[in-house]
Amino acid sequence: MTDVCAILVNFKNDQKTTDCVRSLEKNTVKPVCVYVINNASTEASQKYFESLNFSIDVRWIWNKENRGFAAGCNQGIKAATEEHAGCYIWLLNNDTEATPTALEKLLEKAQSTNAGITGSLIKKANGEFSGGVGFIHPKFASVRRPKSANEQGFDYVEGSSFFISPECLHKTGLLSEDFFLYFEESDYCLKARRNGFKQAWATDSIILHDIGSSTGSEIAKGGVPYFIDCLMIRNRIYFALRNGFPVFSVLIGLAISLALRIKRCQLKRVFTILKITLSKKSFQRFIERNGGFYEIRD
């Protein structure tokens, strides 16, 4: 059986990360290695993790800065492929718990369909259906989750459980770090599709996800934290333009988003969204002012 390496990115959520790794210990098929990338690592956090004992191989990567999701995943991917050439890569949100057959069913689906990217069925912590894949509006690049596990024709696999075949990884490469957080998985799926890889959804691979526990991204509309709200809109526009969505439609979508925030008297968000959408330097400063690390790339 082909090796699988799991990759988790932790940001100030040590207990959730521990619970996630513990759930992988109980899987019928276990990762050959779990790589935990600890963003904004503190001495206390490092001591905590190093004091733990696991029945599976766990490797730690310590980042002094919060480098974001994609950059952390890429660090794990590089380490995994150096130590386990030809392995499957399983990107797993640290605030998830894998049910006992989650990895077994993922691997079965990926191999039976020859998919480049395979997703799990995501449920909330209370067992309520949440998704696992998503749909992208062909004009506005807005995204939505499926209403049930029977919905077909999805456009991307959610990053909360993102299973990449070795062939897809070899040809498609690493995740784009230009997003910092959000839309990097959608971007990767479109790139993989252009490279000839299909996607699959293993609806019998169940992942329990405490959605938004680290970021607050699931709070009701109008209440999403400032940093997350601005980041998500900027990234949607950036994703759409770099992937060839109709410019006029994308700009209309942006105007609607800004109008909604004007209506809510969130003028600071409006000005911030415009600045970070129009300027990479402004985006870099925005990330750094909010405790992150972002490197501008050509």
Side-chain angles (χ1 to χ4, degrees):
M1 182 175 290
T2 305
D3 287 344
V4 176
C5 291
I7 296 170
L8 283 66
V9 178
N10 177 61
F11 175 62
K12 298 182 179 180
N13 212 348
D14 297 357
Q15 187 57 55
K16 289 288 185 184
T17 298
T18 304
D19 293 342
C20 182
V21 178
R22 293 292 183 204
S23 74
L24 297 180
E25 289 183 304
K26 301 172 184 176
N27 259 238
T28 53
V29 172
K30 297 173 177 58
V32 66
C33 188
V34 179
Y35 295 84
V36 179
I37 295 81
N38 198 30
N39 274 336
S41 183
T42 63
E43 184 177 348
S45 178
Q46 186 169 341
K47 284 183 177 179
Y48 165 76
F49 282 127
E50 289 180 337
S51 71
L52 301 175
N53 293 310
F54 296 101
S55 61
I56 53 179
D57 189 12
V58 181
R59 309 290 177 88
W60 309 97
I61 297 175
W62 314 107
N63 288 333
K64 291 183 178 180
E65 309 91 354
N66 176 16
R67 295 178 171 268
F69 180 74
C73 286
N74 286 343
Q75 285 180 283
I77 291 171
K78 290 174 184 177
T81 51
E82 284 177 4
E83 297 180 359
H84 303 278
C87 66
Y88 281 84
I89 294 293
W90 188 17
L91 306 181
L92 191 62
N93 272 24
N94 69 313
D95 55 355
T96 64
E97 291 189 29
T99 57
T101 60
L103 179 52
E104 178 183 349
K105 298 302 182 181
L106 259 181
L107 191 57
E108 286 179 0
K109 188 72 171 183
Q111 293 182 330
S112 66
T113 60
N114 200 31
I117 303 169
T118 308
S120 300
L121 190 147
I122 308 300
K123 293 185 177 182
K124 297 179 182 179
N126 63 6
E128 180 184 344
F129 173 81
S130 176
V133 298
F135 300 84
I136 306 172
H137 193 285
K139 291 184 178 179
F140 300 109
S142 55
V143 298
R144 70 167 181 87
R145 290 178 176 141
K147 297 176 182 178
S148 75
N150 297 319
E151 219 170 328
Q152 303 294 319
F154 56 89
D155 298 303
Y156 68 94
V157 169
E158 285 188 10
S160 48
S161 178
F162 197 87
F163 197 69
I164 312 172
S165 74
E167 296 80 12
C168 181
L169 181 65
H170 176 74
K171 193 167 183 179
T172 309
L174 299 173
L175 279 70
S176 171
E177 298 180 15
D178 291 334
F179 296 92
F180 186 77
L181 178 67
Y182 301 122
F183 278 92
E184 57 274 293
E185 78 269 44
S186 306
D187 182 77
Y188 195 87
C189 284
L190 291 192
K191 186 178 179 182
R193 187 181 300 166
R194 288 194 292 267
N195 285 332
F197 293 98
K198 59 184 177 181
Q199 301 163 38
W201 191 12
T203 54
D204 52 357
S205 168
I206 310 298
I207 298 292
L208 304 179
H209 189 193
D210 189 6
I211 302 174
S213 65
S214 297
T215 64
S217 61
E218 296 296 312
I219 298 174
K221 290 181 179 180
V224 177
Y226 163 80
F227 174 67
I228 299 304
D229 191 32
C230 296
L231 183 62
M232 291 179 79
I233 295 174
R234 180 269 180 187
N235 282 356
R236 175 167 58 84
I237 303 304
Y238 182 76
F239 160 80
L241 295 178
R242 82 185 243 137
N243 284 290
F245 284 74
V247 175
F248 182 69
S249 298
V250 172
L251 294 179
I252 289 176
L254 174 60
I256 293 171
S257 296
L258 297 178
L260 288 172
R261 281 145 189 83
I262 292 172
K263 185 178 180 180
R264 297 173 191 149
C265 298
Q266 297 172 325
L267 296 182
K268 181 182 178 183
R269 299 190 184 201
V270 172
F271 292 123
T272 299
I273 291 165
L274 287 172
K275 284 195 301 183
I276 66 177
T277 301
L278 295 172
S279 166
K280 277 196 173 184
K281 190 66 178 177
S282 294
F283 184 63
Q284 181 186 47
R285 288 194 293 265
F286 170 74
I287 296 296
E288 292 174 349
R289 282 197 303 268
N290 287 277
F293 175 85
Y294 179 80
E295 183 179 353
I296 296 177
R297 296 170 178 79
D298 295 332

